[in-house]
Amino acid sequence: MSPFQRAPSRLICVASAVLAALTANLLHAVEEPWQAEIQALLSADRAGAGQSQAAAAFDRVVAAGLPALSPILTNAKQANPVALNWMLAAADRILAEAARVGTPLPRDELEAFAKDRSQRDKARYLAWDWLRRIDPSAARRIAENMLDDPAGPLRREAVELRLAALPDAAALRAVPNDDPHRAEWRASLYALFHAARDRDQVRRITDRLRALGESPDLIEHYGYVRAWYVVGPFDNTGDAGFDRAFPPEESPGAPVLSASFPGKHGVVTWREFVSEDDVGLIDLNAAIREEKGVLAYATARVTVDTTQDAQIRVSTPNAFKLWVNGEAAAIYHVYHSGFEPDQYTVPCRLKQGENVIFIKVCQNEQTQDWAKPWAFYLRVCDALGGGVMGRESPSPANND
Amino acid sequence: MNLSFSTFRGGTRIGAAVVAALIAAGASAARAGDWRHFRGTDQTAVLQPGEDIPPVRSHDQPVWKVELPGPGPSSPIIVAGRVLLTSAIEPNQDELRLSCLDAESGAKLWETRFWATGSTVFNAFGGIAASTPSSDGRVVVVQYSSNDLACFDLDGRPRWFRPLGWERPFLRNDVGMASSPRIVGDVVVVQAESLLDAVVMGLSLQDGRTLWQIDRPKQAMWSSPVVFPVGEATSPGSDAGPWVLVQSRDDLALIDPKTGRKVAAYAHWCDTVPTAAVWGSQAALPAAGIHLLDLDAATPALDARWVSDRVRVANSSPLLCRNRLYAVKPPNILVCADAADGRLLSQMRLGGSFWASPVIVGRTLYVPSYEGTLYAVSLDDDGVPTQREEIELEPQVLASPAVDESGLYVRTRSFLWKFAFGPK
């Protein structure tokens, strides 16, 4: 074979190789053109950072359509709160656009993602929400197994679906004691009670259990702390006491409950106060005295079975400081700006066994009627809001 | 559950760069009938004053009534024939929604959602969706009590998110926050003031970045920024104004929205909930009574023309229109005064209590009570209230009405209602 005859063969080989390489690159580019866009969405952050890039990326992944859905949902795990909103908005938009033009939505993919507890909770909820739209029976079916789901929105849906299938409180009140369904309903309602975390659901479940003559333990369910030692009043005239460390504050991790201190009006000592309230409200106006320009300290012990991350959720209209096991955990120097459940959420780490909670609650000198409350309530719970089953220790600790 | 959220009509997909160019080119001219911000496009809460526009009457039925996905004290706005409204989904109100309805039919055009990043502690009386959106005719900016802000185009595509509540965890009020954002040119003026943190910011309309910010007195405020367009009118050819009025417990500040510079101030504390009314070069400032202020744009300065504690408001903002001042005095008395000197011209007892602020359309003043009665008060040639009619809605009305040339839009707890002007 002459060189001229071999040349074309070599040329064809080289051309083929080049063509193959180009095609591979193109295919790679075509197969995953949205990876850069997902990175742009994930890069969106505080203070306006990355927003223009995220907006452009949003438009491109939406244009990519359903093939981009799965990568967006799975990458939501890595997203900061701003990026998460971008990712979920993109997923919503992709699905809405597909639905609008009549493209079948990926039912199996949505179901699998919704069931996958390793995925981001809000992304799972989005997937389940869309599944409910296209296959309500499938959504109901998988919700049956979500009573213990770590994703709050999904757990809520699971509770709601089951609750809707049970008689309401009025009907239950009318049920005779010997009704054969009574035990079954009771068991179902307790299962829902233990699963529910949203207050409106807990309230409706509680109403139904009470209609059956039951007394569900809300204190344990929410993790409210009822048994305290309190001491005061100390002087907070002119709000000067907030930043002043009175003697009890010198040992917030190991309060000496037998000690006495100079208070605003004379010697004060620790006194036990156990709240009978549904939420463990400690009304300091009653426990100590109703007065303005004062502060008090309160301490309690909570026992948990294992070392764990937890939350202390404080409700108070008063300025306060909180310590957990002697470590400063929260400072909120604000008066009479609301008095709502779970008003302040303080993350903490609880050690196995006994933990010391110590709180300083200050009352200022506003004279309006709405400035009268000097009170707090507090609960210890997990991130979903369930009580961590701490056992309170009302007996005086051995701190002499 | 309404599962039709996020549906939308197809349209041109506009990339971020194009949107940015549009924003940079300036807002679209306000369409007749747009109601783009809290209290309207010019924030006077007045549409076609003195015109013969058939009022809503007691026997009128709504043109449409649409169930909302969640509650909220925020008012609707109207842009290019679309009604935009925020909500938050119960019970936790951490899922934030923006709905877009066709103004003529009430049909949902699209609805978008995102999640709160700041505090969602609130008093059940109000709610997280408390701030009224603001639009320049091309995009809409929303703000929630969690201090989450976002910008969407008119097809519901997000353009930016700004999580102020996440950035500043002490920026929170546990009864809720309610100041509404205000787009001025290519700046979004944001007021967020609470006991532990307080700021007024100018954000870029293009991407939500901070252009300027002013640390403010740490006091709770629920009033909203109001544009005073007087600078343009009185200083032709200059780059003065428009300026923005911002209330605090220290003063009423007049701020340049481009830079955040305080150009003038009225050194008197302001009421915390109702927002100052503007008309021409006058402002009616709620401050334990009303301070009627004249703006001297040349100096500039805000000077009190008169102060009266006989004309006062509680939660409902006052209204200035053609030399008349209107205020709902607690508990429920509609007061009309001469804006020139504060003389009381009339008082009309209404019923119930009021959080919503009045609007005027033609010769009729509308204001809904919290208990759900929409009052339609006729105004004579002198702007003085003469008689009223009552239209029953549903209770728990916190939002002020919005209006366009075709009708009045009122938000109750669960619904958005439209009542038509003109032949029924």
Side-chain angles (χ1 to χ4, degrees), chain B residues 225-389:
Chain B
V226 178
V227 163
F228 224 156
V230 179
E232 290 173 340
T234 58
S235 305
S238 80
D239 60 0
W243 294 319
V244 179
L245 288 170
V246 184
Q247 295 166 222
S248 77
R249 298 201 197 194
D250 286 356
D251 64 13
L252 175 69
L254 193 61
I255 291 172
D256 180 345
K258 294 190 289 293
T259 63
R261 182 177 66 93
K262 185 187 286 190
V263 299
Y266 178 66
H268 193 281
W269 56 265
C270 310
D271 283 356
T272 60
V273 174
T275 295
V278 295
W279 184 269
S281 62
Q282 291 190 322
L285 172 67
I290 294 290
H291 297 230
L292 201 292
L293 308 177
D294 291 314
L295 172 64
D296 175 355
T299 307
L302 288 162
D303 302 313
R305 177 186 286 246
W306 53 260
V307 178
S308 171
D309 62 359
R310 296 190 67 197
V311 183
R312 52 193 167 83
V313 294
N315 308 306
S316 172
S317 299
L319 187 156
L320 277 169
C321 177
R322 300 170 80 180
N323 210 34
R324 294 290 175 256
L325 168 71
Y326 305 89
V328 180
K329 187 169 84 170
N332 50 31
I333 302 170
L334 176 63
V335 170
C336 174
D338 189 324
D341 55 15
R343 275 180 312 118
L344 288 184
L345 301 175
S346 79
Q347 298 192 78
M348 175 187 287
R349 183 172 287 278
L350 305 176
S353 57
F354 290 83
W355 287 84
S357 302
V359 300
I360 286 178
V361 181
R363 294 167 174 264
T364 308
L365 179 148
Y366 298 95
V367 62
S369 71
Y370 176 73
E371 290 74 13
T373 299
L374 173 64
Y375 291 94
V377 181
S378 301
L379 306 175
D380 66 16
D381 290 343
D382 215 21
V384 177
T386 55
Q387 60 189 33
R388 71 166 192 256
E389 300 206 20

Side-chain angles (χ1 to χ4, degrees), chain B residues 114-335:
Chain B
F114 63 106
W115 295 89
T117 67
S119 170
T120 52
V121 177
F122 66 98
N123 187 282
F125 181 81
I128 297 296
S131 307
T132 298
S134 180
S135 177
D136 68 344
R138 298 180 190 278
V139 297
V140 56
V141 172
V142 295
Q143 181 175 351
Y144 297 80
S145 176
S146 57
N147 289 303
D148 285 283
L149 284 101
C151 177
F152 298 89
D153 68 18
L154 292 186
D155 283 327
R157 281 183 289 263
R159 301 296 87 185
W160 50 261
F161 293 99
R162 185 68 198 264
L164 286 184
W166 180 40
E167 295 170 25
R168 304 172 73 124
F170 288 110
L171 197 60
R172 54 179 283 177
N173 188 315
D174 300 334
V175 299
M177 298 180 73
S179 300
S180 299
R182 181 55 159 96
I183 297 173
V184 188
D186 55 5
V187 179
V188 184
V189 179
V190 175
Q191 179 176 14
E193 301 189 8
S194 66
L195 290 171
L196 288 179
D197 192 6
V199 67
V200 169
M201 307 176 85
L203 305 184
S204 165
L205 183 60
Q206 180 171 334
D207 59 10
R209 284 175 305 108
T210 303
L211 300 175
W212 52 263
Q213 69 180 51
I214 308 167
D215 288 335
R216 301 274 287 170
K218 290 187 177 65
Q219 296 288 348
M221 295 295 296
W222 292 271
S223 59
S224 297
V226 178
V227 163
F228 224 156
V230 179
E232 290 173 340
T234 58
S235 305
S238 80
D239 60 0
W243 294 319
V244 179
L245 288 170
V246 184
Q247 295 166 222
S248 77
R249 298 201 197 194
D250 286 356
D251 64 13
L252 175 69
L254 193 61
I255 291 172
D256 180 345
K258 294 190 289 293
T259 63
R261 182 177 66 93
K262 185 187 286 190
V263 299
Y266 178 66
H268 193 281
W269 56 265
C270 310
D271 283 356
T272 60
V273 174
T275 295
V278 295
W279 184 269
S281 62
Q282 291 190 322
L285 172 67
I290 294 290
H291 297 230
L292 201 292
L293 308 177
D294 291 314
L295 172 64
D296 175 355
T299 307
L302 288 162
D303 302 313
R305 177 186 286 246
W306 53 260
V307 178
S308 171
D309 62 359
R310 296 190 67 197
V311 183
R312 52 193 167 83
V313 294
N315 308 306
S316 172
S317 299
L319 187 156
L320 277 169
C321 177
R322 300 170 80 180
N323 210 34
R324 294 290 175 256
L325 168 71
Y326 305 89
V328 180
K329 187 169 84 170
N332 50 31
I333 302 170
L334 176 63
V335 170

